[in-house]
């Protein structure tokens, strides 16, 4: 693990040292290797990180490799008495297959507090981003601290293009236009190169260009959240503290989490129940004044679902139309399954991911 003291008495002068992440971070490991006379370092990431690798500012030539590659390198070292390695910089590699993918440290759902709302909402660039670090330097940074400015910048661009849009409309535009396939045409993969589920990608990877023209949006006002908050079980004083005005939940018709006019849909279907669960959504036309959208519904075989009406027609911008979507179990099964709802008009596809929990 190349921590302090582990290379004492080992001749690594002029050699490349293979190190396993563990006690200390890779930058500190490179300092240990350099102090011992090493010429370079190969870092094997943690098994749980799979193919997610991070660029760090090492003090000597170094390369981090996915855990699976590290296992192969170890096998090679053990197969010969004179293992040889070379670190070569070929420059930036573009258009790597299976891009984008989901990093191991990307936040995962479901929400433990409000499982009726699918989380995460969206994924965006956040790994090894070259960004301003201070007034004189740049740095490679990974994490929410990098994906947040990407998404914030996209939200600002949408607001510039559509000054009258609410934050919820902007969020909807970002979510319903996201893409869910990588550059090979297959599903976006997770850190272990398995197809990433909705609890990893949410609506998908942000598509900045398409988000400017989503066609339809699922809009919300601050007042729409009051019956939602009451439905979560907060008392009057807690809701009033958020709204900054008096609220009496007993005088309102509370709604469940799944009934909030959100761009994604999350539903729970109890075991041994043939009762259907229905939600209503309202969309606002922000595209062509005269337009017609047709529904496309994709759900797994464990579930039956339907949408009413199946066609939405608009005659003007900002016109609203509502539809209902219902779900029913088809027999047994348990766990989480997923589907999608699309409203299609020409080249426009307004996509909502559907998360279904079978109890």
């Amino acid at each position: 693990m190349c921590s302090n003291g582990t290379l004492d008495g080992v001749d690594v002068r002029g050699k490349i040292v293979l190190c396993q992440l563990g006690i200390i971070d890779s930058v500190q490991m490179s300092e240990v290797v350099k102090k011992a006379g090493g010429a370079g370092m190969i870092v094997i990431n943690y098994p749980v990180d799979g193919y997610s690798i991070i660029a760090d500012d090492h003090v000597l030539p170094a390369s981090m490799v996915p855990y699976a590659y590290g296992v192969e390198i170890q096998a090679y070292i053990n197969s010969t008495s004179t293992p040889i390695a070379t670190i070569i910089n070929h420059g930036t590699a573009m258009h790597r297959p299976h891009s984008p993918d989901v990093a191991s440290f990307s936040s995962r759902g479901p929400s433990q507090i409000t499982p009726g709302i699918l989380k995460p909402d969206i994924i965006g660039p956040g790994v090894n981003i070259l960004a301003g670090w201070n007034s004189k330097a740049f740095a490679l940074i990974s994490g929410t601290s990098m994906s947040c400015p990407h998404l914030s910048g996209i939200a600002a661009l949408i607001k510039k293009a559509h000054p009258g849009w609410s934050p919820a409309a902007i969020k909807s535009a970002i979510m319903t236009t996201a893409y869910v396939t990588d550059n090979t045409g297959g599903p976006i993969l997770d850190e272990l190169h398995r197809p990433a589920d909705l609890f990893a990608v949410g609506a998908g990877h942000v598509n900045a260009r398409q988000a400017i023209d989503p066609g339809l949006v699922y809009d919300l006002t601050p007042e729409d959240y009051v019956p939602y908050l009451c439905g979560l079980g907060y008392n009057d004083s807690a809701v009033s503290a958020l709204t900054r005005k008096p609220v009496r939940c007993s005088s309102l018709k509370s709604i469940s989490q799944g009934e909030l006019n959100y761009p994604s849909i999350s539903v729970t279907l109890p075991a041994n129940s043939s009762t259907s669960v229905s939600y209503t959504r309202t969309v606002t036309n922000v595209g062509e004044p005269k337009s017609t959208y047709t529904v496309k519904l994709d759900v797994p075989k464990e579930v039956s679902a339907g949408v009413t009406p199946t066609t939405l027609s608009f005659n003007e911008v900002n016109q609203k139309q509502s539809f209902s979507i219902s779900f029913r179990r088809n027999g047994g099964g348990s766990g989480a399954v997923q589907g999608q709802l699309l409203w299609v008009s020409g080249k426009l596809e307004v996509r909502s991911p559907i998360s279904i929990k079978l109890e």
Side-chain angles (χ1 to χ4, degrees), residues 76-139:
Y76 162 68
I77 291 174
N78 293 331
S79 70
T80 176
S81 59
T82 56
I84 298 174
T86 307
I87 297 176
I88 302 174
N89 178 17
H90 289 295
T92 301
M94 305 294 290
H95 309 296
R96 291 296 300 271
H98 302 298
S99 298
D101 59 5
V102 185
S104 58
F105 52 81
S106 186
S107 297
R108 301 303 209 271
S111 169
Q112 300 299 314
I113 300 174
T114 55
I117 294 181
L118 175 63
K119 292 295 178 178
D121 288 325
I122 196 80
I123 57 173
V127 180
N128 299 330
I129 305 299
L130 182 63
W133 183 246
N134 55 42
S135 60
K136 297 181 180 179
F138 287 80

Side-chain angles (χ1 to χ4, degrees), residues 225-234 239 249 253-257:
Y225 280 93
V226 176
Y228 162 75
L229 291 169
C230 291
L232 288 177
Y234 290 107
V239 178
C249 287
K253 183 181 179 181
S254 299
I255 63 172
S256 66
Q257 300 169 30

Side-chain angles (χ1 to χ4, degrees), residues 151-162 170:
L151 269 295
S152 300
I154 291 169
L157 288 173
I158 297 173
K159 186 68 173 178
K160 176 68 173 179
H162 305 284
I170 293 172

Side-chain angles (χ1 to χ4, degrees), residues 177-262:
T177 58
Y179 59 89
V180 293
T181 56
D182 64 20
N183 60 358
T184 69
I188 293 176
L189 304 179
D190 66 12
E191 70 276 9
L192 299 179
H193 280 186
R194 304 169 303 191
D197 62 17
L198 294 184
F199 297 135
V201 300
H205 192 284
V206 63
N207 185 337
R209 188 182 300 275
Q210 189 60 46
I212 294 290
D213 182 24
L216 304 175
V217 294
Y218 294 81
D219 205 357
L220 283 166
T221 67
E223 289 74 22
D224 292 325
Y225 280 93
V226 176
Y228 162 75
L229 291 169
C230 291
L232 288 177
Y234 290 107
N235 58 33
D236 292 350
S237 60
V239 178
S240 298
L242 288 170
T243 62
R244 299 186 182 181
K245 60 182 180 181
V247 172
R248 292 184 60 187
C249 287
S250 59
S251 64
L252 298 172
K253 183 181 179 181
S254 299
I255 63 172
S256 66
Q257 300 169 30
E259 293 176 285
L260 190 67
N261 198 44
Y262 216 71

Side-chain angles (χ1 to χ4, degrees), residues 2 7 12-19 26 29-43 58-64 85-87:
C2 299
L7 298 182
V12 299
R13 290 173 297 175
K15 298 177 181 179
I16 296 174
V17 183
L18 183 68
C19 301
S26 64
M29 290 163 54
S30 69
E31 294 170 349
V32 172
V33 172
K34 183 178 181 180
K35 184 178 179 181
M41 178 180 70
I42 300 172
V43 182
H58 299 109
V59 298
L60 79 176
S63 178
M64 176 178 279
T86 307
I87 297 176

Side-chain angles (χ1 to χ4, degrees), residues 1-24:
M1 294 185 177
C2 299
S3 57
N4 291 321
T6 57
L7 298 182
D8 292 351
V10 181
D11 184 11
V12 299
R13 290 173 297 175
K15 298 177 181 179
I16 296 174
V17 183
L18 183 68
C19 301
Q20 170 71 59
L21 274 178
I23 300 173
I24 58 177

